Amino acid sequence: MKRTILIIAILAFSSLAFAQKKTIQFDAENLPTQLLTYLNSATSDDARKKDNAKVIKLFTDVYNATDDPTRERMTAVFSAAQKQKIRQIPDLTDFITLVWMLYTSEPDHHNFLPWIACVQFIQENKTAKVFNEFTGFTRQLITDRTLQKSRSAVWQAQPGSPYTLALQGRDIIVTFATPTDIFYNSDKDHGTIYGTKGTFNYLDSKWVGEGGRITWDRTGIPTTACWADLNRYQANTKLSKLSADSVQLTYTKYFTTPIMGSIEDVLDYPMEPEKYNYPKFRSYQNDFVLNDIIPGADYRGTFMLNGAKFVTSSTEHPASLVFSRDGKPFIVVTSTKFTIANGKALSERAAVKIYIDGDSIYNNGISMRYAVSDKRLTLVNNGKRNYYSPYTNTYHNLDMYCEQMVWNPEKDMIEMSMLGETGSSSFATFESSNYYSLKKYREIQGIDEQSPVVKVFKFSKANGGLDEFSISEFASAIKMDVSQAKLMIHNLAKGGLVSFDENLGIVYLKIRLNDYMRAYSKSRDYDVKPGVFEIRIIGILLFKIFIQ
């Protein structure tokens, strides 16, 4: 066994020595012949030597067609390759073949000398590995205009597109000066920039483009209905995404003229067209007024397009859906995020205000659903958030604890219900705004040494009687983590003493909190018996409010 291993090691060493033993001093007068000798010194295979002869014949045709200065530069390139110990087979034979490919691919050979300059720069400043990689890159560029191949994406210009190659400082730049299509593809998805110009930095893997168009065709939106015209943009071609600012979006479904914004596109997995979340467009303008964005609802706010879905997402500029009655705003739902698609609108975190004769019913912590098919607006006060807050009704001077409100415009009424399953029991509670309960006060305090009512009251008073503030400011003032402060505010919201907008992180004090503080301190006389009643609902029995 030891002898076998020793023999194999000796043979391997001998083979390596055979491959590297021939060193030649190349000169411009005899370069083709010297190259053939150098290649053959790396093999004893007659078939391989015949292939070497064919490669050198192609190279000789090119070599003889060039002038003396070019021959001197080629000689220097091969001398440097020998010094770098570039393997004769297959690396050097591939490179020699590439010389022929590049020279014969262009009638005027305009990229040949600039390419030689790029090769020499790599030989002087980079490793043999980079030399071989540049050989592969050049072959792909000549063959099908591929700019980058990685595990995540392939970036490619339209095959046959004219280009120039140049060494600019310490950068190797490929320029497409006339409009071409740029494709960025993965094995699962694809994207295209139509009619763009730009430059590709080989060493930095960066594409810098100017002009061009992106469409939403893979989301099912016709290319004649929606597109984005690019200005100047760039992309890291090692990744399967791009982004651009100052783009103009044309979307004939919503706008008569283009709007300005930014765009992002990321390759994804294959899916049904309407489920794609890219390309994404976000408008710079945040005060659009889009009447009947879906039948029955007007829209106020920013504009975002995620795939084929109209999605809003801005904590700085919340958007609103306005549902009108008799030509006037009746129900306004406000949220930092709406999704509008396929005849439906939804928001998981929203605030609602229902206008009634100068008063309102409002709640800052609901989810909403609206379907065009039945024109029913459903508002859900979801207890899965660990709490749900009552609707504040200034028209009837009540706090209304219910899980669901449904507006049916055809019947001109709002239906209120709990979400108990059929056969189960649930409760809807309506409390007078003037109702004070010592029991509730103690429930809110729990085991805390000081009641949250007192903490919030003191914070408000210390800041000039604030009636709204951010949860982060409050947490900082009472030296508590924001998450803990939120639990405290949730408890107060559940009791109807504050209203909390989860999206914005804003706490709104109700007059009732001050009333509770005064009542507990005995500074105000309260009648604690009247003003509260419960409606017990079995199954899906509905309590109905008819609109006057």
Side-chain angles (χ1 to χ4, degrees), residues 328-454:
K328 297 180 180 180
F330 175 53
I331 299 178
V332 178
V333 181
T334 303
S335 178
T336 58
K337 184 173 183 179
F338 286 106
T339 299
I340 302 173
N342 302 320
K344 296 179 181 179
L346 60 90
S347 178
E348 292 300 326
R349 287 185 172 183
V352 64
K353 181 172 282 190
I354 304 169
Y355 294 93
I356 306 176
D357 292 340
D359 287 289
S360 64
I361 300 172
Y362 66 89
N363 191 324
N364 286 321
I366 56 98
S367 60
M368 65 81 66
R369 300 286 188 279
Y370 176 69
V372 174
S373 58
D374 58 11
K375 291 188 177 180
R376 291 167 70 90
L377 173 64
T378 302
L379 309 172
V380 178
N381 195 340
N382 193 345
K384 290 182 179 179
R385 298 173 304 177
N386 299 321
Y387 82 102
Y388 64 74
S389 56
Y391 288 84
T392 299
N393 182 340
T394 63
Y395 183 79
H396 299 98
N397 203 27
L398 294 171
D399 278 348
M400 307 188 308
Y401 291 83
C402 66
E403 291 175 343
Q404 178 173 271
M405 296 179 68
V406 180
W407 179 47
N408 188 332
E410 293 183 355
K411 295 182 180 180
D412 204 22
M413 72 177 181
I414 294 175
E415 302 174 335
M416 301 177 63
S417 70
M418 304 300 279
L419 298 177
E421 297 178 357
T422 302
S424 65
S425 298
S426 59
F427 296 87
T429 303
F430 300 80
E431 283 187 358
S432 167
S433 295
N434 291 326
Y435 173 67
Y436 167 72
S437 167
L438 180 60
K439 178 183 177 183
K440 176 179 284 189
Y441 182 92
R442 288 174 174 169
E443 286 177 349
I444 291 173
Q445 179 169 353
I447 61 173
D448 292 340
E449 183 177 343
Q450 187 179 55
S451 171
V453 176
V454 176

Side-chain angles (χ1 to χ4, degrees), residues 200-216:
F200 175 66
N201 188 320
Y202 169 72
L203 295 176
D204 286 346
S205 299
K206 180 186 292 184
W207 167 263
V208 177
E210 186 175 347
R213 176 172 292 183
I214 291 177
T215 70
W216 271 255

Side-chain angles (χ1 to χ4, degrees), residues 38-88:
Y38 184 58
L39 295 180
N40 287 339
S41 69
T43 181
S44 59
D45 187 343
D46 291 338
R48 179 68 261 184
K49 289 182 178 181
K50 288 182 180 179
D51 291 338
N52 290 344
K54 293 178 182 179
V55 169
I56 294 301
K57 184 180 184 306
L58 295 175
F59 173 75
T60 302
D61 292 340
V62 171
Y63 193 74
N64 290 337
T66 61
D67 56 19
D68 289 342
T70 302
R71 294 179 186 180
E72 291 291 345
R73 294 183 66 178
M74 283 194 280
T75 302
V77 165
F78 286 106
S79 296
Q82 182 177 225
K83 186 176 180 180
Q84 277 189 302
K85 294 184 171 50
I86 303 297
R87 294 181 303 173
Q88 292 103 310

Side-chain angles (χ1 to χ4, degrees), residues 209-245:
E210 186 175 347
R213 176 172 292 183
I214 291 177
T215 70
W216 271 255
D217 58 329
R218 73 182 191 267
T219 71
I221 302 178
T223 57
T224 56
C226 183
W227 65 87
D229 288 324
L230 306 179
N231 191 6
R232 186 174 174 83
Y233 65 97
Q234 63 183 34
N236 182 344
T237 55
K238 290 182 179 180
L239 306 177
S240 56
K241 63 181 182 180
L242 69 85
S243 60
D245 294 320

